[in-house]
Amino acid sequence: MPATANAPRARILQLAKLVAADLRRGQMTVGLETVGLALSHNPDAMIVVLDLLIKEVGKKRPNDALCEALLFMMGQALDETRMAVEGGSEPAKNLVEEVRQKLVTAAESGLLPPEVMMVIGQQFTAAKLDLGDELRALILALSEQAASHGPSLSPDDITSHYAAMAEAFVHDPFLIHGQLSEQLAAFPADQRLVIVGSFVASEVESMREAALGWLLDSSPSVVQQVAQNLVVAAQHGGLSAASAERLVMMRPWLTEAVQAPLDSAVRACRQRGLQPAARPSAQISTVIASGCDGAGAQSVFVILKRGRKLALASLLVKQGFGVRDAWVREDLSRREADQFLAEVGDQLDTFDASPEIAQSLIAHHLATNIARQEPPPFGLVQFLEAVSSGQVRPERMGTELLIEQLLDGVPPERQSPKAIAAALADSKLWPREYAFLQSWFEPSEATSATVGKAGTKKQREDAVLRVLISPQRGRWAELLGWTAKAAADEVEGEERIDFALVARELLGDRAVAEIPLAVWIAKNTVAASAN
């Protein structure tokens, strides 16, 4: 996230007005989709957006459309900034801290209304960024203050409220959970327990189904109590067949202490005669997978045919972080699906793939989620219901085994020294062919120190290759190996073989200076540092 010149307020205000116009028309234009990326490239820009928001909401007659646009821009920029934070960018970490402090100061000074603060808090959660103790406590206090000024609710009022909420989200448990989990993220675990417990006990079935999502809460105490609540609900006939099947699917992702009550809940459902829920018939028409970008992110998109309508299933994983996002969008027309695929093709290098690549990625990255004690998103259940035929268990695949499987069955002559030499030579040209390689560089803070010690550009590149790239060659081999996996089903071309051969050389003993792709990563690192 390179620092550039200060962001002109007038230009960002003009951008906000364009975003407001797009939002008013309900059109997801390219500009609207990339506004977060543009803002994240300039740390000053997000601060200017926040300043403009504070100024606008403080007016006697604020422009609601402009406020909505500025909030949208904040959310998009936070999402992009989180990727930089995960990549180890120190400027990105500093930016998040600056935004936190500015929000605290503004709220304590009465410059930001509670409802705006709570929206921004939800945006932090959606972007998977930590609110920090001070900002979390402030948002919680504002939420409790708002609740204390509202009317007290009777049990009938609460039932009606849940029914109205479920109706607003078309009784989709994944949509309900997505909305509520962001709102509840600022609450301490003990308060989340009480609220989620009311979802489990709700008379509205879709609210009870949404409660399953808190089995993937970040707090072990919340997860354990939700599991116990689900046992009680199952014993009293409160769980549907679909919920029982989802418990079975999620079971391998949870600790043994949580698996035991889930087994009891499923048994109670089976004893009531509930059979596995029939899934709506769907035909998979298109599967595409992207290569890994420099931060390790990789996507899979699946188009499914459901009767006359189409559905789009999306999966995002990230090396070292696990399954990051998954969702399904229903009721798309063929035109909407084709437009989406075209936009993805413009933004990402994609390969024709199969559902098996998604299952392999999920199994591998779930193991990372468990190792980091960071549960996958509830949307993964929805994705698997749409795309997969059953349960996917966490199982990390080592890079060496991955490459071995990719090259299994490849003729010996295609793996000969001559073929390896040709693949290595071709790797010098890959950055011109594949856009994802433009993001392959070391973002480490050690880059500046390493680059600064060398003299000429060539000396800086050699230093980066020796000091930074060589110790990380296993990581780059892993990214290239999973890119090869994404390309494994390509009908034309043999990219996956060449990718796998070069990945094997990165993983082996060959001098890193003899691997053109590694040399290019060093050059790209120096160029990124200069920018």
Side-chain angles (χ1 to χ4, degrees):
M1 198 170 104
T4 57
N6 288 341
R9 295 174 66 90
R11 190 185 307 169
I12 291 183
L13 182 57
Q14 184 61 33
L15 175 61
K17 291 177 180 177
L18 293 174
V19 170
D22 279 351
L23 291 174
R24 213 165 31 239
R25 289 192 294 267
Q27 295 180 348
M28 186 61 73
T29 64
V30 174
L32 199 60
E33 292 173 341
T34 59
V35 66
L37 182 62
L39 292 173
S40 70
H41 282 174
N42 187 338
D44 293 330
M46 198 190 308
I47 299 300
V48 171
V49 170
L50 186 52
D51 285 338
L52 290 171
L53 178 62
I54 292 171
K55 181 179 179 181
E56 189 62 34
V57 298
K59 292 180 179 178
K60 189 174 182 179
R61 293 183 179 178
N63 183 326
D64 292 339
L66 185 58
C67 290
E68 182 183 359
L70 290 166
L71 281 168
F72 176 86
M73 292 165 68
M74 277 291 298
Q76 295 292 300
L78 286 170
D79 197 48
E80 294 289 343
T81 302
R82 180 257 300 170
M83 297 181 190
V85 169
E86 291 180 351
S89 169
E90 203 62 36
K93 296 175 185 177
N94 294 337
L95 173 61
V96 173
E97 180 57 30
E98 185 178 357
V99 171
R100 286 196 200 104
Q101 290 303 318
K102 196 170 188 67
L103 286 169
V104 169
T105 301
E108 290 178 342
S109 304
L111 299 177
L112 276 178
E115 59 272 19
V116 174
M117 283 294 297
M118 286 187 277
V119 169
I120 295 176
Q122 292 173 29
Q123 290 176 334
F124 263 81
T125 303
K128 299 180 176 65
L129 285 170
D130 185 18
L131 283 165
D133 293 339
E134 193 174 10
L135 183 57
R136 181 180 294 105
L138 182 59
I139 291 176
L140 178 60
L142 291 172
S143 177
E144 291 175 340
Q145 180 182 349
S148 66
H149 285 84
S152 58
L153 298 178
S154 68
D156 288 342
D157 292 332
I158 294 173
T159 299
S160 299
H161 175 67
Y162 285 167
M165 181 185 300
E167 185 71 25
F169 290 104
V170 294
H171 292 278
D172 184 326
F174 300 101
L175 289 177
I176 295 170
H177 175 268
Q179 178 70 19
L180 291 176
S181 63
E182 292 180 9
Q183 294 179 3
L184 298 184
F187 287 75
D190 57 343
Q191 293 191 25
R192 287 207 302 281
L193 278 173
V194 174
I195 298 171
V196 176
S198 71
F199 300 159
V200 177
S202 171
E203 296 181 9
V204 182
E205 183 176 69
S206 55
M207 293 297 296
R208 298 195 300 273
E209 292 177 338
L212 269 62
W214 278 274
L215 288 170
L216 302 173
D217 192 88
S218 58
S219 167
S221 62
V222 171
V223 174
Q224 189 70 45
Q225 187 58 53
V226 169
Q228 296 293 344
N229 290 347
L230 289 171
V231 174
V232 176
Q235 292 170 344
H236 290 81
L239 289 189
S240 65
S243 290
E245 290 307 300
R246 286 165 184 161
L247 293 181
V248 172
M249 182 182 292
M250 297 163 69
R251 184 185 186 278
W253 313 345
L254 304 166
T255 64
E256 291 184 5
V258 178
Q259 289 176 359
L262 292 192
D263 292 342
S264 299
V266 172
R267 276 197 302 272
C269 291
R270 296 286 184 261
Q271 290 168 358
R272 287 173 43 228
L274 289 182
Q275 297 301 315
R279 299 181 185 176
S281 59
Q283 177 184 355
I284 295 177
S285 63
T286 304
V287 183
I288 58 174
S290 75
C292 293
D293 68 16
Q298 189 170 20
S299 298
V300 177
F301 301 101
V302 184
I303 301 293
L304 307 106
K305 187 175 182 181
R306 299 190 195 273
R308 295 184 179 181
K309 284 288 189 178
L310 299 176
L312 168 66
S314 172
L315 172 73
L316 174 66
V317 298
K318 192 168 184 179
Q319 299 293 339
F321 291 89
V323 179
R324 301 299 281 161
D325 197 14
W327 47 263
V328 177
R329 186 182 302 167
E330 302 282 358
D331 296 329
L332 296 180
S333 66
R334 170 54 64 182
R335 179 176 172 275
E336 289 172 325
D338 289 343
Q339 182 181 357
F340 178 86
L341 292 176
E343 290 175 353
V344 168
D346 288 339
Q347 297 172 20
L348 300 173
D349 292 307
T350 58
F351 307 94
D352 292 333
S354 65
E356 286 69 32
I357 173 62
Q359 292 181 333
S360 298
L361 283 169
I362 290 168
H364 176 75
H365 288 282
L366 275 174
T368 303
N369 286 109
I370 290 174
R372 290 174 57 87
Q373 297 183 338
E374 292 183 3
F378 187 40
L380 181 59
V381 174
Q382 186 185 28
F383 180 92
L384 286 172
E385 285 182 343
V387 174
S388 176
S389 57
Q391 189 184 71
V392 177
R393 292 178 173 273
E395 184 177 1
R396 177 170 175 78
M397 181 177 289
T399 307
E400 189 173 346
L401 177 59
L402 171 64
I403 295 171
E404 182 182 320
Q405 290 185 0
L406 288 165
L407 295 175
D408 184 38
V410 174
E413 62 272 16
R414 191 63 180 84
Q415 302 185 58
S416 67
K418 182 179 179 180
I420 293 171
L424 287 168
D426 285 345
S427 74
K428 187 175 183 178
L429 304 176
W430 289 347
R432 300 180 188 176
E433 300 176 40
Y434 303 105
F436 69 87
L437 288 173
Q438 298 302 319
S439 64
W440 281 33
F441 55 85
E442 285 288 346
S444 168
E445 295 307 311
T447 301
S448 298
T450 303
V451 171
K453 292 178 182 178
T456 67
K457 181 180 178 182
K458 179 66 167 61
Q459 289 172 328
R460 293 196 297 272
E461 292 170 354
D462 289 343
V464 168
L465 182 64
R466 183 180 64 258
V467 177
L468 298 180
I469 307 303
S470 184
Q472 292 292 325
R473 57 191 295 170
R475 176 179 180 272
W476 297 112
E478 183 176 31
L479 298 191
L480 191 56
W482 283 103
T483 299
K485 180 72 171 177
D489 294 314
E490 280 280 296
V491 176
E492 297 181 1
E494 295 186 326
E495 291 101 330
R496 59 110 177 174
I497 298 177
D498 288 342
F499 289 162
L501 289 174
V502 174
R504 190 169 64 183
E505 295 304 304
L506 279 166
L507 207 58
D509 298 327
R510 183 182 294 272
V512 71
E514 297 176 8
I515 303 175
L517 181 61
V519 173
W520 184 85
I521 297 171
K523 291 181 177 180
N524 201 33
T525 298
V526 172
S529 178
N531 288 333

